[in-house]
Amino acid sequence: MPVVVGLPDPGRCLVMGVVNTTPDSFSDGGLLDDAAAGVAHGLQLVADGADLVDVGGESTRPGAERVDEAEEARRVLPVVEGLAEQGVVVSVDTMRASIARAAVSAGARLVNDVSGGLADPDMVPAMADLGVGYVVMHWRGHSTDMQSRAVYGDVVAEVRSELEERVAAVLAGGVSPERLIVDPGLGFAKQPQHSWALLRSLEQIVSIGYPVLVGASRKGFLGALLSDEAGARPLDDREDATTAVSALAADRGAWAVRVHRARASADAVRVAAACGALR
Ligand code: PMM
């Protein structure tokens, strides 16, 4: 299994639990309540088997508008700090270098940048300074209009080569190769068939030579697959499909799966490891 310096290495695919601190995620009871609820949610994810917890304050759903920097900091930093204080391995999901720096000061050990350094010119220099893990995701633009960029001839080849370009830029900017993780960005400037093709050929992304993070949890391509006459399967009823993807991604060599509920995926990655060990 690939290993990232400074992060857990249990010898199987890791489970990254998600704490979204967007306003309607937990409660509307004010900042302190929100932070406490975010920390409690992160601790529950760990109790359920998450190896690390990804804290984000900006929605990246298709069509989502950006939040401003002060608001992102207000949402994310108390949760990062509260979880890190309790010994949780924390990742911060941000495209902003300033938030990445503040989150690492607050105890984050991984920066998950869905833009792969493209949204903020200060991000790569910040990551070179900070010396923590860095997730470089495949990204073609902000969520407001990203689906118009979901145009590919050969999606696997194009995502692979665009990720390789970002990896080269990030390494040239001084980030240590031992701290780099790549992510095909399922659902980001992707139609469902693109996300399926990337999962089917995940080994093409693994063969770039860096640990691979896969974020499929509850995404639209699962909702579309499971749709019926009422339309797409609702968000909170995509858990079993998410678990199936966790097992398949782990079997295809993913370093970690990013999920909203940890327990079933924690079981799935163990099943994948046990099956793999018998090969
Ligand atoms: N997906 C979302 C947010 N952050 N980060 C990485 N590295 N990979 C992803 O696929 C990813 C991400 C969107 O998911 P959510 O808003 O449902 O949590």
XYZ file of all heavy atoms in Angstrom, residues 70-170:
740
model
N -13.226 35.029 5.279
C -13.453 35.175 6.725
C -14.515 34.171 7.193
O -14.383 33.561 8.261
C -13.896 36.603 7.034
N -15.514 33.991 6.387
C -16.578 33.054 6.754
C -16.052 31.605 6.731
O -16.367 30.798 7.610
C -17.765 33.229 5.783
C -18.914 32.257 5.988
C -19.585 32.353 7.356
O -19.358 33.335 8.086
O -20.322 31.402 7.698
N -15.244 31.300 5.740
C -14.665 29.947 5.684
C -13.809 29.693 6.930
O -13.910 28.626 7.566
C -13.827 29.771 4.400
C -13.372 28.329 4.214
C -12.491 28.105 2.989
O -12.298 29.048 2.183
O -11.970 26.980 2.845
N -13.000 30.681 7.309
C -12.147 30.536 8.501
C -13.011 30.345 9.750
O -12.740 29.487 10.592
C -11.258 31.768 8.661
N -14.067 31.140 9.857
C -14.958 31.078 11.023
C -15.597 29.696 11.154
O -15.739 29.155 12.243
C -16.044 32.145 10.850
C -16.905 32.391 12.056
C -18.073 33.323 11.704
N -19.091 32.633 10.919
C -20.085 31.922 11.419
N -20.207 31.788 12.711
N -20.960 31.317 10.632
N -15.931 29.113 10.027
C -16.584 27.797 10.058
C -15.609 26.668 10.393
O -15.919 25.744 11.139
C -17.188 27.486 8.684
C -18.387 28.335 8.326
C -18.853 27.967 6.919
N -19.915 28.853 6.465
C -20.451 28.791 5.255
N -20.019 27.897 4.384
N -21.406 29.617 4.911
N -14.424 26.748 9.767
C -13.555 25.568 9.722
C -12.567 25.491 10.897
O -12.360 24.416 11.465
C -12.791 25.609 8.359
C -11.507 24.855 8.400
C -13.698 25.116 7.243
N -11.952 26.635 11.235
C -10.803 26.569 12.145
C -11.133 26.028 13.539
O -10.374 25.196 14.057
C -10.099 27.939 12.223
C -9.509 28.390 10.880
C -8.871 29.775 11.007
C -8.476 27.381 10.350
N -12.270 26.438 14.162
C -12.545 25.870 15.497
C -12.753 24.358 15.461
O -12.409 23.664 16.419
C -13.837 26.577 15.940
C -14.059 27.698 14.986
C -13.279 27.420 13.742
N -13.277 23.854 14.362
C -13.515 22.404 14.265
C -12.182 21.679 14.078
O -11.912 20.645 14.705
C -14.519 22.082 13.132
C -14.758 20.578 13.043
C -15.834 22.825 13.347
N -11.324 22.229 13.211
C -9.985 21.635 13.017
C -9.267 21.584 14.365
O -8.735 20.541 14.772
C -9.159 22.463 11.995
C -7.701 22.026 11.998
C -9.769 22.350 10.600
N -9.278 22.703 15.062
C -8.549 22.784 16.332
C -9.123 21.812 17.361
O -8.378 21.075 18.024
C -8.617 24.219 16.860
C -7.716 24.436 18.046
C -7.606 25.900 18.422
O -8.260 26.769 17.791
O -6.869 26.173 19.376
N -10.447 21.794 17.465
C -11.096 20.927 18.455
C -10.804 19.454 18.204
O -10.561 18.691 19.145
N -10.796 19.061 16.952
C -10.521 17.646 16.630
C -9.040 17.321 16.824
O -8.692 16.269 17.372
C -10.952 17.340 15.194
C -12.464 17.238 14.980
C -12.800 17.159 13.491
C -13.033 16.018 15.705
N -8.164 18.233 16.368
C -6.719 17.976 16.507
C -6.345 17.852 17.986
O -5.544 16.993 18.360
C -5.926 19.083 15.814
N -6.960 18.701 18.820
C -6.690 18.636 20.268
C -7.025 17.271 20.862
O -6.451 16.849 21.851
C -7.562 19.676 21.008
C -6.891 21.013 21.172
C -7.876 22.064 21.690
O -9.036 21.713 22.013
O -7.463 23.234 21.737
N -7.981 16.617 20.232
C -8.398 15.294 20.750
C -7.619 14.168 20.076
O -7.982 13.001 20.176
C -9.881 15.074 20.471
C -10.731 16.197 20.985
C -11.639 15.756 22.123
O -11.489 14.667 22.675
N -12.579 16.600 22.464
N -6.583 14.540 19.323
C -5.717 13.525 18.727
C -6.189 12.981 17.389
O -5.628 12.003 16.875
N -7.206 13.607 16.804
C -7.697 13.141 15.496
C -6.759 13.641 14.397
O -6.268 14.771 14.452
C -9.141 13.668 15.255
C -9.637 13.302 13.858
C -10.080 13.137 16.331
N -6.506 12.798 13.403
C -5.740 13.229 12.226
C -6.706 14.026 11.346
O -7.690 13.485 10.844
C -5.168 12.031 11.447
C -4.377 12.521 10.235
C -4.298 11.179 12.356
N -6.417 15.317 11.201
C -7.360 16.214 10.528
C -6.808 16.666 9.183
O -5.628 17.000 9.046
C -7.655 17.461 11.396
C -8.638 18.394 10.682
C -8.200 17.061 12.751
N -7.720 16.669 8.218
C -7.446 17.214 6.894
C -8.342 18.436 6.738
O -9.460 18.456 7.268
C -7.811 16.111 5.892
O -8.167 16.636 4.650
N -7.867 19.472 6.048
C -8.726 20.628 5.794
C -9.024 20.701 4.296
O -8.124 20.606 3.472
C -8.097 21.939 6.320
C -6.765 22.262 5.639
C -9.072 23.101 6.182
N -10.312 20.791 3.985
C -10.750 20.833 2.588
C -10.880 22.300 2.205
O -11.875 22.958 2.540
C -12.115 20.113 2.502
C -12.612 19.951 1.079
O -12.104 20.633 0.174
O -13.535 19.128 0.868
N -9.857 22.848 1.560
C -9.866 24.266 1.203
C -9.092 24.507 -0.079
O -8.141 23.790 -0.379
C -9.278 25.140 2.342
O -9.470 26.523 1.999
C -7.792 24.874 2.574
N -9.500 25.556 -0.804
C -8.745 25.983 -1.987
C -7.908 27.218 -1.666
O -7.262 27.754 -2.556
C -9.722 26.331 -3.119
C -10.472 25.148 -3.655
S -11.556 25.643 -5.022
C -13.113 25.829 -4.164
N -7.973 27.708 -0.421
C -7.316 28.967 -0.057
C -6.054 28.708 0.768
O -6.111 28.051 1.813
C -8.257 29.848 0.743
C -9.404 30.423 -0.074
C -10.144 31.466 0.731
N -11.057 32.212 -0.122
C -12.388 32.047 -0.111
N -12.949 31.185 0.711
N -13.149 32.774 -0.921
N -4.931 29.328 0.334
C -3.665 29.162 1.050
C -3.768 29.698 2.473
O -3.229 29.099 3.407
C -2.551 29.888 0.300
N -4.474 30.814 2.653
C -4.563 31.410 3.995
C -5.272 30.454 4.956
O -4.874 30.314 6.117
C -5.305 32.746 3.939
O -6.611 32.526 3.438
N -6.305 29.791 4.471
C -7.029 28.841 5.329
C -6.157 27.615 5.588
O -6.120 27.077 6.695
C -8.370 28.419 4.671
C -9.251 29.634 4.359
C -9.114 27.375 5.529
C -9.917 30.279 5.539
N -5.439 27.171 4.553
C -4.542 26.022 4.727
C -3.514 26.328 5.812
O -3.282 25.513 6.720
C -3.847 25.683 3.406
N -2.917 27.518 5.755
C -1.897 27.887 6.758
C -2.502 27.919 8.158
O -1.935 27.371 9.113
C -1.309 29.271 6.443
C -0.346 29.288 5.276
C 0.297 30.678 5.148
N 1.077 30.799 3.937
C 2.337 30.368 3.790
N 2.934 29.771 4.804
N 2.961 30.509 2.642
N -3.649 28.565 8.274
C -4.273 28.694 9.602
C -4.695 27.320 10.124
O -4.567 27.033 11.317
C -5.465 29.643 9.525
N -5.185 26.471 9.234
C -5.634 25.138 9.658
C -4.438 24.297 10.106
O -4.540 23.547 11.087
C -6.398 24.448 8.530
N -3.321 24.409 9.416
C -2.135 23.641 9.828
C -1.646 24.158 11.186
O -1.298 23.377 12.071
C -1.042 23.672 8.734
C 0.270 23.083 9.242
C -1.534 22.896 7.501
N -1.693 25.488 11.397
C -1.343 26.030 12.728
C -2.283 25.487 13.797
O -1.888 25.293 14.945
C -1.461 27.555 12.772
O -0.541 28.110 11.918
N -3.534 25.240 13.395
C -4.519 24.719 14.354
C -4.437 23.198 14.504
O -5.209 22.610 15.251
C -5.924 25.127 13.912
N -3.515 22.555 13.769
C -3.291 21.121 13.971
C -3.585 20.221 12.789
O -3.414 19.000 12.896
N -4.037 20.777 11.641
C -4.317 19.915 10.480
C -3.021 19.301 9.943
O -1.971 19.953 9.932
C -5.011 20.709 9.373
N -3.103 18.052 9.492
C -1.913 17.350 8.983
C -2.002 17.073 7.493
O -1.100 16.448 6.904
C -1.716 16.047 9.752
C -1.132 16.380 11.139
C -1.312 15.276 12.135
N -0.730 14.012 11.735
C -0.826 12.900 12.473
N -1.466 12.926 13.631
N -0.293 11.782 12.059
N -3.093 17.501 6.886
C -3.288 17.276 5.445
C -4.111 18.431 4.898
O -5.048 18.886 5.558
C -4.042 15.948 5.267
C -4.381 15.474 3.860
C -3.118 15.139 3.085
C -5.275 14.222 3.926
N -3.756 18.910 3.706
C -4.557 19.935 3.027
C -5.153 19.293 1.788
O -4.428 18.740 0.952
C -3.701 21.169 2.669
C -4.508 22.153 1.822
C -3.180 21.843 3.939
N -6.489 19.330 1.719
C -7.221 18.722 0.613
C -7.714 19.860 -0.280
O -8.671 20.545 0.058
C -8.381 17.904 1.194
C -9.303 17.369 0.126
O -8.916 17.240 -1.037
N -10.535 17.072 0.508
N -7.047 20.052 -1.405
C -7.326 21.195 -2.284
C -7.998 20.676 -3.552
O -7.323 20.131 -4.435
C -6.002 21.898 -2.594
C -6.144 23.033 -3.584
O -7.280 23.355 -3.985
O -5.089 23.590 -3.967
N -9.313 20.847 -3.645
C -10.018 20.290 -4.806
C -9.568 20.949 -6.105
O -9.796 20.401 -7.185
C -11.570 20.355 -4.674
C -12.050 19.573 -3.466
C -12.086 21.781 -4.661
N -8.910 22.106 -6.022
C -8.460 22.773 -7.254
C -7.045 22.357 -7.644
O -6.524 22.818 -8.663
C -8.527 24.288 -7.086
O -7.383 24.782 -6.410
N -6.399 21.527 -6.835
C -5.031 21.101 -7.153
C -4.062 22.264 -7.321
O -3.120 22.202 -8.100
N -4.300 23.340 -6.585
C -3.404 24.496 -6.626
C -3.785 25.529 -7.673
O -3.105 26.548 -7.814
N -4.870 25.309 -8.402
C -5.233 26.225 -9.486
C -6.070 27.418 -9.013
O -6.090 28.457 -9.671
C -6.003 25.466 -10.582
C -5.155 24.520 -11.433
C -6.039 23.636 -12.314
C -4.164 25.306 -12.301
N -6.760 27.281 -7.878
C -7.680 28.360 -7.470
C -6.954 29.517 -6.796
O -7.443 30.643 -6.818
C -8.752 27.799 -6.528
N -5.796 29.232 -6.183
C -5.099 30.270 -5.417
C -3.602 30.156 -5.720
O -2.972 29.149 -5.386
C -5.361 30.037 -3.918
C -4.700 31.095 -3.038
O -3.807 31.828 -3.524
O -5.084 31.174 -1.848
N -3.029 31.187 -6.343
C -1.604 31.105 -6.714
C -0.681 30.968 -5.508
O 0.477 30.564 -5.659
C -1.346 32.434 -7.449
C -2.510 33.317 -7.125
C -3.660 32.446 -6.750
N -1.182 31.288 -4.301
C -0.333 31.146 -3.108
C -0.363 29.742 -2.520
O 0.358 29.447 -1.571
C -0.797 32.121 -2.011
C -0.510 33.562 -2.399
O 0.428 33.767 -3.204
O -1.237 34.455 -1.923
N -1.223 28.871 -3.046
C -1.383 27.563 -2.395
C -0.105 26.707 -2.519
O 0.346 26.122 -1.526
C -2.584 26.812 -2.978
C -2.853 25.499 -2.293
S -3.244 25.654 -0.532
C -5.015 25.393 -0.556
N 0.459 26.601 -3.705
C 1.633 25.724 -3.858
C 2.801 26.233 -3.001
O 3.403 25.436 -2.249
C 2.001 25.522 -5.351
C 3.304 24.742 -5.475
C 0.863 24.785 -6.070
N 3.123 27.548 -3.036
C 4.179 28.013 -2.119
C 3.849 27.721 -0.654
O 4.727 27.338 0.120
C 4.232 29.531 -2.373
C 3.621 29.742 -3.719
C 2.667 28.605 -3.964
N 2.584 27.878 -0.283
C 2.199 27.586 1.115
C 2.459 26.126 1.426
O 2.999 25.783 2.485
C 0.727 27.931 1.347
N 2.107 25.238 0.499
C 2.286 23.807 0.749
C 3.766 23.446 0.814
O 4.160 22.562 1.574
C 1.564 22.979 -0.315
C 0.050 23.056 -0.251
S -0.650 22.879 1.396
C 0.016 21.317 1.901
N 4.577 24.126 0.019
C 6.023 23.870 0.088
C 6.548 24.259 1.471
O 7.382 23.563 2.051
C 6.737 24.643 -1.019
N 6.040 25.363 2.028
C 6.438 25.813 3.373
C 5.940 24.894 4.474
O 6.637 24.631 5.436
C 5.728 27.136 3.729
C 6.391 28.333 3.146
O 7.432 28.160 2.506
O 5.829 29.434 3.345
N 4.693 24.475 4.338
C 4.004 23.854 5.479
C 4.493 22.438 5.753
O 4.477 21.988 6.897
C 2.489 23.845 5.251
C 1.813 25.224 5.341
C 0.358 25.154 4.858
C 1.856 25.768 6.773
N 4.892 21.721 4.698
C 5.429 20.374 4.918
C 4.416 19.402 5.503
O 4.762 18.582 6.354
N 3.150 19.498 5.081
C 2.153 18.483 5.467
C 1.652 17.810 4.190
O 2.039 18.197 3.083
C 0.961 19.111 6.247
C 1.425 19.735 7.555
C 0.224 20.128 5.378
N 0.785 16.808 4.334
C 0.237 16.140 3.164
C -0.565 17.099 2.299
O -1.139 18.073 2.805
N -0.607 16.819 0.987
C -1.319 17.713 0.058
C -2.059 16.876 -0.979
O -1.445 16.131 -1.745
C -0.306 18.644 -0.631
C -0.926 19.682 -1.543
C -2.125 20.320 -1.212
C -0.307 20.049 -2.736
C -2.686 21.280 -2.050
C -0.854 21.007 -3.576
C -2.051 21.623 -3.224
O -2.607 22.566 -4.054
N -3.395 17.006 -0.995
C -4.217 16.326 -2.004
C -4.404 17.246 -3.193
O -4.929 18.360 -3.061
C -5.617 15.955 -1.453
C -6.459 15.298 -2.558
C -5.500 15.038 -0.243
N -3.986 16.765 -4.353
C -4.143 17.488 -5.618
C -5.262 16.792 -6.399
O -5.087 15.666 -6.869
C -2.814 17.450 -6.407
C -3.000 17.957 -7.820
C -1.753 18.261 -5.677
N -6.402 17.457 -6.474
C -7.541 16.840 -7.177
C -7.625 17.343 -8.615
O -7.224 18.471 -8.908
C -8.847 17.152 -6.418
C -9.987 16.216 -6.771
S -11.574 16.761 -6.107
C -11.998 17.993 -7.349
N -8.193 16.518 -9.499
C -8.433 16.960 -10.877
C -9.582 17.956 -10.889
O -10.681 17.665 -10.400
C -8.790 15.775 -11.782
C -9.098 16.217 -13.178
N -10.389 16.343 -13.647
C -8.279 16.627 -14.181
C -10.348 16.781 -14.898
N -9.087 16.961 -15.242
N -9.373 19.120 -11.480
C -10.311 20.251 -11.384
C -10.217 21.062 -12.661
O -9.125 21.295 -13.166
C -9.865 21.079 -10.184
C -10.719 22.211 -9.710
C -11.787 22.132 -8.885
C -10.506 23.617 -9.938
N -12.250 23.392 -8.585
C -11.486 24.319 -9.220
C -9.568 24.354 -10.685
C -11.585 25.708 -9.213
C -9.661 25.734 -10.679
C -10.668 26.402 -9.961
N -11.365 21.470 -13.167
C -11.337 22.302 -14.378
C -11.969 23.672 -14.173
O -12.156 24.406 -15.141
C -12.042 21.573 -15.526
C -11.199 20.477 -16.147
C -11.866 19.893 -17.365
N -10.941 19.080 -18.143
C -11.272 18.478 -19.281
N -12.508 18.590 -19.763
N -10.376 17.772 -19.940
N -12.329 24.003 -12.934
C -12.915 25.321 -12.681
C -13.894 25.263 -11.531
O -14.282 24.184 -11.085
N -14.284 26.455 -11.056
C -15.156 26.543 -9.882
C -16.523 25.918 -10.136
O -16.984 25.831 -11.270
C -15.278 28.002 -9.446
C -14.036 28.494 -8.781
N -13.655 28.053 -7.539
C -13.073 29.351 -9.200
C -12.511 28.624 -7.207
N -12.130 29.417 -8.201
N -17.161 25.542 -9.017
C -18.404 24.769 -9.081
C -19.540 25.491 -9.805
O -20.440 24.852 -10.329
C -18.864 24.431 -7.666
O -17.881 23.671 -7.032
N -19.504 26.832 -9.784
C -20.569 27.608 -10.419
C -20.851 27.130 -11.838
O -21.999 27.044 -12.245
C -20.187 29.106 -10.443
O -18.787 29.208 -10.626
C -20.608 29.800 -9.165
N -19.783 26.844 -12.594
C -20.010 26.466 -13.999
C -19.182 25.250 -14.440
O -18.940 25.042 -15.622
C -19.720 27.656 -14.930
C -18.264 28.073 -14.863
O -17.558 27.618 -13.929
O -17.828 28.836 -15.738
N -18.756 24.427 -13.457
C -17.822 23.350 -13.826
C -18.444 22.305 -14.759
O -17.739 21.698 -15.570
C -17.240 22.669 -12.590
C -18.221 21.870 -11.768
S -17.370 21.136 -10.351
C -18.751 20.474 -9.426
N -19.765 22.097 -14.645
C -20.333 21.021 -15.468
C -20.266 21.340 -16.966
O -20.276 20.442 -17.795
C -21.748 20.664 -15.008
C -21.796 19.972 -13.623
C -20.778 18.838 -13.430
O -19.639 19.055 -13.009
N -21.153 17.610 -13.753
N -20.142 22.636 -17.313
C -19.977 22.962 -18.740
C -18.596 22.517 -19.244
O -18.352 22.457 -20.450
C -20.153 24.467 -18.968
O -19.089 25.156 -18.342
N -17.688 22.219 -18.314
C -16.341 21.769 -18.700
C -16.215 20.243 -18.719
O -15.118 19.710 -18.865
C -15.314 22.350 -17.736
C -15.295 23.866 -17.732
C -14.085 24.394 -16.981
N -13.989 25.828 -17.138
C -14.516 26.722 -16.287
N -15.126 26.311 -15.209
N -14.404 28.005 -16.504
N -17.336 19.561 -18.541
C -17.309 18.088 -18.533
C -17.333 17.552 -19.965
O -18.243 16.826 -20.361
C -18.483 17.553 -17.723
N -16.331 17.941 -20.731
C -16.263 17.537 -22.137
C -14.922 16.821 -22.349
O -13.858 17.419 -22.133
C -16.347 18.771 -23.073
C -16.291 18.333 -24.525
C -17.630 19.557 -22.788
N -15.005 15.556 -22.721
C -13.783 14.743 -22.856
C -13.879 13.889 -24.107
O -14.967 13.472 -24.505
C -13.635 13.792 -21.651
C -13.550 14.486 -20.313
C -14.702 14.764 -19.578
C -12.311 14.858 -19.778
C -14.632 15.396 -18.344
C -12.237 15.497 -18.536
C -13.407 15.759 -17.829
O -13.327 16.390 -16.607
N -12.712 13.614 -24.725
C -12.634 12.585 -25.743
C -12.413 11.256 -25.023
O -13.234 10.358 -25.056
N -11.290 11.178 -24.313
C -10.949 9.991 -23.528
C -10.743 10.484 -22.094
O -9.677 11.012 -21.749
C -9.670 9.370 -24.104
C -9.203 8.155 -23.312
O -9.594 8.012 -22.124
O -8.434 7.367 -23.877
N -11.784 10.357 -21.263
C -11.754 10.993 -19.942
C -10.589 10.478 -19.096
O -9.928 11.260 -18.401
C -13.112 10.838 -19.213
C -13.450 9.390 -18.921
C -13.132 11.649 -17.927
N -10.308 9.183 -19.163
C -9.268 8.624 -18.289
C -7.900 9.188 -18.697
O -7.123 9.658 -17.848
C -9.283 7.080 -18.329
C -8.145 6.511 -17.496
C -10.633 6.554 -17.827
N -7.629 9.196 -20.000
C -6.336 9.712 -20.479
C -6.206 11.204 -20.165
O -5.129 11.675 -19.762
C -6.194 9.465 -21.977
N -7.305 11.953 -20.333
C -7.222 13.401 -20.114
C -7.073 13.742 -18.639
O -6.273 14.612 -18.268
C -8.441 14.105 -20.716
C -8.359 14.153 -22.235
C -9.666 14.587 -22.897
O -10.199 15.638 -22.523
O -10.146 13.851 -23.776
N -7.826 13.051 -17.783
C -7.704 13.315 -16.345
C -6.298 12.931 -15.885
O -5.654 13.653 -15.126
C -8.797 12.558 -15.553
C -8.503 12.552 -14.055
C -10.167 13.193 -15.830
N -5.806 11.801 -16.408
C -4.461 11.354 -16.027
C -3.430 12.413 -16.419
O -2.597 12.825 -15.617
C -4.150 10.022 -16.709
C -2.867 9.368 -16.237
C -2.660 8.036 -16.949
N -1.727 7.184 -16.234
C -0.407 7.289 -16.283
N 0.156 8.209 -17.042
N 0.359 6.469 -15.581
N -3.504 12.891 -17.665
C -2.456 13.817 -18.088
C -2.623 15.189 -17.432
O -1.629 15.836 -17.087
C -2.344 13.888 -19.608
O -3.307 14.750 -20.114
N -3.866 15.618 -17.179
C -4.045 16.903 -16.476
C -3.558 16.793 -15.024
O -2.979 17.743 -14.479
C -5.508 17.356 -16.547
C -5.882 17.833 -17.951
C -7.384 18.059 -18.181
O -8.086 18.480 -17.246
O -7.844 17.812 -19.321
N -3.761 15.631 -14.404
C -3.242 15.438 -13.045
C -1.714 15.405 -13.051
O -1.072 15.988 -12.174
C -3.769 14.120 -12.459
C -5.047 14.173 -11.639
C -5.440 12.767 -11.184
C -4.920 15.105 -10.427
N -1.146 14.740 -14.059
C 0.324 14.695 -14.146
C 0.901 16.104 -14.298
O 1.941 16.420 -13.718
C 0.759 13.805 -15.316
C 0.671 12.334 -14.960
C 1.050 11.418 -16.122
O 0.737 11.761 -17.285
O 1.643 10.368 -15.859
N 0.210 16.949 -15.074
C 0.670 18.346 -15.209
C 0.648 19.058 -13.877
O 1.554 19.814 -13.530
C -0.263 19.123 -16.154
C 0.082 19.014 -17.611
C -1.014 19.647 -18.478
O -1.596 20.685 -18.071
O -1.288 19.082 -19.548
N -0.431 18.848 -13.108
C -0.522 19.507 -11.800
C 0.555 18.978 -10.854
O 1.157 19.730 -10.099
C -1.911 19.289 -11.164
C -3.047 19.998 -11.835
C -2.749 21.455 -12.116
N -2.348 22.193 -10.935
C -1.514 23.244 -10.948
N -0.973 23.680 -12.067
N -1.195 23.867 -9.824
N 0.780 17.669 -10.887
C 1.820 17.081 -10.035
C 3.174 17.716 -10.375
O 3.930 18.128 -9.481
C 1.869 15.547 -10.203
C 3.151 14.963 -9.634
C 0.651 14.903 -9.545
N 3.458 17.853 -11.661
C 4.743 18.446 -12.069
C 4.841 19.880 -11.550
O 5.891 20.304 -11.031
C 4.883 18.400 -13.591
N 3.750 20.642 -11.648
C 3.778 22.044 -11.207
C 3.972 22.132 -9.690
O 4.732 22.972 -9.194
C 2.476 22.742 -11.612
N 3.299 21.247 -8.968
C 3.369 21.264 -7.513
C 4.779 20.863 -7.051
O 5.350 21.470 -6.138
C 2.264 20.331 -6.957
C 2.504 19.941 -5.530
C 0.893 20.988 -7.132
